[in-house]
Amino acid sequence: MEYASPRSLDEAIGLLSQAGVDARPMAGGTDLLVQLRTGARRPELLVDLKQIPGLCGIDCGSQGFRIGAAVSGAEIGECLPLREAWPGVVEAAELIGSTQIQGRASLGGNLCNASPAADSVPALIAAGAVCTLIGPAGRREVPVDDIVRGPGETALGEAEIIVDFRLPRPQDGTGDAYQRMIPRTEMDIAIVGAGVSVRVAESGECLACRVALGAVAARPIRVDEAAAALMGRRPDSEALEELAARASAAADPIDDKRGTRAYRTRVAGVLARRAAEEALRRAGDRWAARSQSS
Amino acid sequence: MSEKSTEGRPLKWVGTRPVRPDGVEKVTGRARYGADFARPDMLWGHVLRSPHAHARIRRIDVRRALELDGVKAIVTGDDLPEIASEQAFVGEEPTDYRMLSQNVLARGKVGYVGHAVAAVAATTSAVAEEALRLIEVDYEILPHVLDVLSATADDAPLVHDDLCDRKGVKKNPSNIANEIEMGHGDPEAAFTNADVVVDRSFTTQAVHQGYIEPHACLAEAGPDGQVTIWCSSQGQFMVRGYTAKLLGLDLAQVRVVPAEIGGGFGGKTTVYLEPLAVALSQRSGRPVKMVMSREEVFRATGPASATRIRVKIGATKEGQFLAGEAWLDYEAGAFPGSSVAAGSMTIFAPYAFEHARSHGRDILVNKPKSAAYRAPGAPMAAFAVESVVDDLARQLEIDPIDLRLQNAAREGVQSSFGPRYKRIGFVETLQAAQEHPHYDAPLQPNQGRGVAAGMWFNAGLQSSAAVMVNADGSVSVISGNPDIGGSRASLAMMAAEEFGIEYEKVGVRIGDTASVGYNDVTGGSRVTLATGKMVVEASQEVISQLCERAAKVWDVDVKRVHWADGKAKVLDDEAIEPLGLAEIATGAARTGGPIQAIASGSVRGVGMSFGVHLCDVEVDPETGKVDVIRYTAFQDAGRAIHPSYVEGQIQGGAAQGIGWALNEEYVFDDSGRLENSGFLDYRMPVASDLPMIDAVIIEVPNPDHPYGVRGVGEAPIVPPIPAVVNALRAATGVCFSDLPVSPPRVLEALDAVS
Ligand SMILES: Cc1cc2nc3c(=O)[nH]c(=O)nc-3n(C[C@H](O)[C@H](O)[C@H](O)COP(=O)(O)OP(=O)(O)OC[C@H]3O[C@@H](n4cnc5c(N)ncnc54)[C@H](O)[C@@H]3O)c2cc1C
């Protein structure tokens, strides 16, 4: 097996397209190295993405945020403007693994590993994140929603990689949150994950809502029916229960060693509701902070 | 230095907390564990394992594998000697050499997924693994059984069709490998006099010890037939005994050098790799190293048994226990020998019963052979009995600790497993728990508090130790027990105490099998107790020699010489300047040569250690997740030689027991393949899952030990399961009888009642 550490996007795409299916890009390696060890994957070439400037660093501009696809969870957690703007995305990224894993695990890897249970993905979908892809055919922008096709399967073309993730500056009254269920506190795989983002008017009326669930289908799913339960209303407990019921109804999970189908279905609703409550609270806090400062 | 005293004797070291002798090596990563040994020209060994739960091996073809460049030797079942059925007394659990040999390498039949079928030695690990893929095994798949119920059904497939009883007589074909019964009185009749009877059944799943260090060894067989093995285990003499027996070698031909051990918890009281590594080395003429992967550890080494236990207790309305009866079915795995006997012995042990009986069955299933796990057999039994005691307390509206105090075993009580108790500290431990602020601290909604008790024996068994005085007056101690829990520190402290010298002046080493007398395994909470006793005896013998040497120097009658504060003194003549260790040792050449003593013995009169645990949980009623939010463990340590290590044992045992209760379980698919053979999905608690475990040491000295020690290592894993489950019941009002109480199971139970 060969290892390459290109310094530019062109070089990386060149290496990947030359080697074809036998090559594998690597960011933190926290999924990939485990797969190499168990023999689940046997690539001939590893292309390390961490030395490519475009995949590193976080930019916080007036338009919004650009998060390099290879940036580690630890770095994301330390970026205060991002944390302030999209706390749900940051808390999801920080849930990945443990302190050791946090030093390496990236959003690009979490998404492209294409696990239905990846923690950052529902939060990114809920926040409306878009990723930039680059490959032999050039550059394109794709919403995170459309990347994962099924377990281990992505919409990426051959030799195509994710360069970065874009998030807008949140509008007034925006709030997001991510909740996951694992039987322990860390080092485990989500039995259910739920990301919610909302935008509420100062009156409390819900103007926008996105709900995404992880680990309850073959891929992370966006559940617009659940989001619709809040839209145009002041979300009271009845609306939130409606959201929970619809989230559960949209779940189509498997029964496995990690959790039963019945359990996952039920808890999908609970977590969607809890994430929505937290997102609403954060949105409310934003309005409160604004009126205080003015 | 704090000065404590036992029976009027001032103590300088016992009860203090010096730094452990192996501490720096371990925290700096220099300590050498099983996989850290290498020899020039060494080969790597790997094991081919069965993909089937139960199958006949029709044929094994190793020709293609042998042709692979770099492959130096292959062994299959045909290459190991056939061994007659014979009970071994080397490890911790009952073992039959014939079955052990078959577990190490399958003969004719495989009994579980992961069962070793062949072993390969090659120049690199990668070549050895490649060779495994080239070995062709022709299996005839047989129907399998995976649990106690199906294994005892009338038409169950037989895991073995040639089982013999302990007298060597062939048994009626069945999967019940062994049945035991013990107790006294007539419980059945006594139940009719009871005002309340609680009768419940419980199940627990197989769980792994979860030691961090996978099994690993390096073996070298010389052309002269001499064999050396470097490995980590709970007993170098156990490894020697088993390996020699399985390969037909003399014990004197085999030397086993103990490595540091990265956890064992009972799981390293048997062998898996060592006989294979030696056989491969004999065939290749080169040293062979073998290291298990984590997956192999899960698939092929012993878990604690899955169990089904029924317990029935009858009591008067005042709360006096009249009778107890228990039926315990433990999965042995694919070979006989579960911990059901110990489960049957401990189940009623904490209480005084006029009528008590337990019936245990050792049941074969197509799973890895079970192995000892910390207080083997007792935690599952405690789960059952302490849940029933909790029920009784509720029904009778008696405080659960009062109910236990009312019935607690104490000195003179006839135990349910035979002997009468000597001085034990159960009552004191219960009282300490009851008086602790934790016991009546307020709780919030969705929280509950559980209490549970448990006991474990201290095995005495055989120990040896050597103590020698060096020319500079320092003292060397050689123990024959791998140090798992800080025993080098406790042994050094006891020796320093005897000699009256500084702790730092005592060096304790773990000897190999050729440098110290025989020792049974590090297990049964016995090392500080039994080997400690040998260190004390050998030290006392050395001290009397020192007095003799001093008497020679002074030319006085030895009767006039005594030892105090690290010096020989003449009793009745203050004018004679005392002689210290260094002075006597420097002059030893002129007074009779080197000064040393060896003590060996079968240690008897062992104590028991009782524990009482308080656990607070908080339940998330919408997800079924249970968090332990406060935990206090009380235990009678007899005397804590090094309190930090006693506390460490208590905390570790509690953490493991909590994991067993909450999330740990082997998950098998229908074909008998373990689905969670790694720490990602075998859910042991991680550090952030648990609160600080507060350990409270109670000291009711063991009258049979020079310092009053009771072995403390195992008792702390006995109470946690019922402590957690009783707390969960208090929080939810729901009775749980099946482990683990994982979120899906808890939520389902909550839904069922609402
Ligand atoms: C102990 C442990 C705990 C874990 N806990 C969690 C957890 O709690 N939650 C969770 O969701 N995950 C968890 N994981 C999984 C893993 O850490 C995450 O999925 C992580 O985000 C992967 O990122 P990485 O940078 O390490 O990816 P890598 O391993 O480098 O890559 C993963 C996959 O993505 C591909 N890839 C990586 N970057 C790109 C890119 N820019 N463009 C195209 N393809 C790319 C790789 O080829 C590979 O197929 C855990 C893993 C371990 C070992």
Side-chain angles (χ1 to χ4, degrees), chain A residues 24-35 41 49 55 69-71 92 95-98 101 104-115 117-120 156 160-163 180 182 186-190, chain B residues 680:
Chain A
R24 203 70 218 160
M26 179 175 87
T30 60
D31 278 315
L32 198 53
L33 295 181
V34 177
Q35 291 159 3
R41 272 187 201 281
L49 305 176
L55 278 88
V71 169
L95 277 179
I96 297 173
S98 59
I101 298 293
R104 298 237 132 202
S106 68
L107 294 185
N110 199 221
L111 181 59
C112 295
N113 186 56
S115 155
D119 277 311
S120 70
L156 269 61
E160 197 173 33
I161 59 172
I162 297 184
V163 180
R180 81 165 170 192
I182 55 171
E186 57 183 356
M187 301 301 280
D188 218 324
I189 295 190
Chain B
L680 184 57

Side-chain angles (χ1 to χ4, degrees), chain A residues 184-185 258 263 266 273-274, chain B residues 623 681 684 688-689 751:
Chain A
R184 294 184 285 189
T185 45
R258 296 189 178 129
Y263 182 78
R266 170 84 191 278
R273 193 201 72 224
R274 288 181 180 179
Chain B
T623 64
D681 289 309
M684 294 183 79
S688 54
D689 288 343
D751 281 352

Side-chain angles (χ1 to χ4, degrees), chain B residues 194-511:
Chain B
D195 298 314
V196 284
V197 174
V198 176
D199 185 347
R200 279 176 63 191
S201 293
F202 302 83
T203 63
T204 72
Q205 298 303 318
V207 298
H208 199 267
Q209 297 84 348
Y211 33 82
I212 288 295
E213 183 200 20
H215 299 254
C217 70
L218 168 63
E220 181 165 23
D224 54 358
Q226 300 296 309
V227 169
T228 308
I229 301 169
W230 294 262
C231 67
S232 95
S233 76
Q234 286 178 249
Q236 58 272 44
F237 291 93
M238 174 277 299
V239 172
R240 183 185 67 163
Y242 283 164
T243 305
K245 188 78 188 182
L246 264 49
L247 297 177
L249 301 168
D250 285 343
L251 291 174
Q253 272 177 284
V254 183
R255 184 168 69 102
V256 180
V257 183
E260 290 293 345
I261 175 167
F265 309 109
K268 291 180 185 162
T269 56
T270 187
V271 292
Y272 300 98
L273 296 177
E274 290 83 356
L276 298 177
V278 172
L280 288 168
S281 179
Q282 287 172 327
R283 274 162 187 71
S284 62
R286 289 167 63 169
V288 175
K289 177 166 174 163
M290 300 182 81
V291 181
M292 279 196 197
S293 66
R294 179 65 58 194
E295 188 181 338
E296 287 181 288
V297 171
F298 271 104
R299 292 200 193 287
T301 73
S305 304
T307 68
R308 294 186 76 87
I309 301 173
R310 178 182 159 208
V311 171
K312 186 174 177 185
I313 296 180
T316 65
K317 58 181 183 303
E318 291 77 28
Q320 198 200 328
F321 294 174
L322 293 180
E325 190 159 13
W327 296 261
L328 305 95
D329 283 350
Y330 282 36
E331 288 180 4
F335 295 98
S338 71
S339 52
V340 70
S344 308
M345 287 168 81
T346 53
I347 194 158
F348 293 125
Y351 304 108
F353 276 99
E354 227 171 285
H355 307 274
R357 186 154 310 278
S358 37
H359 315 261
R361 301 195 298 175
D362 186 41
I363 294 171
L364 295 163
V365 293
N366 292 111
K367 291 184 184 172
K369 161 76 178 74
S370 65
Y373 178 16
R374 209 168 188 162
M380 314 76 140
F383 167 44
V385 80
E386 292 293 302
S387 297
V388 167
V389 171
D390 198 61
D391 280 343
L392 286 167
R394 284 169 189 279
Q395 289 191 22
L396 296 166
E397 293 174 6
I398 300 177
D399 170 85
I401 294 187
D402 281 338
L403 182 65
R404 286 173 172 88
L405 274 170
Q406 192 181 340
N407 294 285
R410 57 195 90 204
E411 193 170 355
V413 161
Q414 161 81 61
S415 72
S416 58
F417 56 91
R420 278 185 193 283
Y421 284 110
K422 293 198 191 172
R423 184 75 175 91
I424 52 174
F426 187 32
V427 168
E428 288 81 350
T429 309
L430 282 164
Q431 284 165 340
Q434 200 168 36
E435 285 155 16
H436 194 275
H438 184 174
Y439 195 52
D440 46 23
L443 291 166
Q444 305 300 319
N446 295 321
Q447 297 180 351
R449 176 165 301 135
V451 53
M455 69 77 74
W456 186 251
F457 315 95
N458 298 168
L461 306 178
Q462 303 176 83
S463 276
S464 305
V467 173
M468 46 205 110
V469 179
N470 303 308
D472 60 358
S474 63
V475 172
S476 294
V477 175
I478 307 183
S479 145
N481 282 113
D483 175 358
I484 299 194
S487 59
R488 265 167 293 193
S490 338
L491 298 182
M493 290 166 77
M494 287 187 269
E497 199 74 68
E498 290 298 318
F499 283 101
I501 58 174
E502 296 302 306
Y503 165 77
E504 291 76 13
K505 291 286 178 197
V506 182
V508 182
R509 296 281 184 283
I510 316 297

Side-chain angles (χ1 to χ4, degrees), chain B residues 585-670:
Chain B
T586 320
R590 290 184 302 277
T591 56
I595 303 166
Q596 67 151 345
I598 289 168
S600 280
S602 273
V603 177
R604 298 186 183 284
V606 297
M608 318 260 160
S609 187
F610 286 80
V612 177
H613 292 195
L614 299 179
C615 172
D616 294 355
V617 299
E618 180 166 324
V619 183
D620 181 335
E622 289 187 314
T623 64
K625 184 161 190 272
V626 178
D627 286 315
V628 174
I629 52 170
R630 185 171 181 187
Y631 201 98
T632 313
F634 305 81
Q635 191 175 326
D636 174 18
R639 173 173 295 285
I641 300 293
H642 193 307
S644 298
Y645 302 151
V646 174
E647 288 157 6
Q649 290 295 321
I650 294 174
Q651 290 165 335
Q656 286 182 313
I658 293 168
W660 195 334
L662 291 180
N663 285 303
E664 288 180 43
E665 63 176 321
Y666 275 31
V667 181
F668 290 92
D669 68 14
D670 292 341

Side-chain angles (χ1 to χ4, degrees), chain B residues 146-170:
Chain B
L146 288 177
D147 61 69
V148 162
L149 279 188
S150 49
T152 50
D154 285 342
D155 53 352
L158 292 179
V159 180
H160 290 272
D161 36 29
D162 57 349
L163 270 193
C164 296
D165 66 15
R166 269 179 295 184
K167 295 188 195 79
V169 181
K170 198 156 182 246

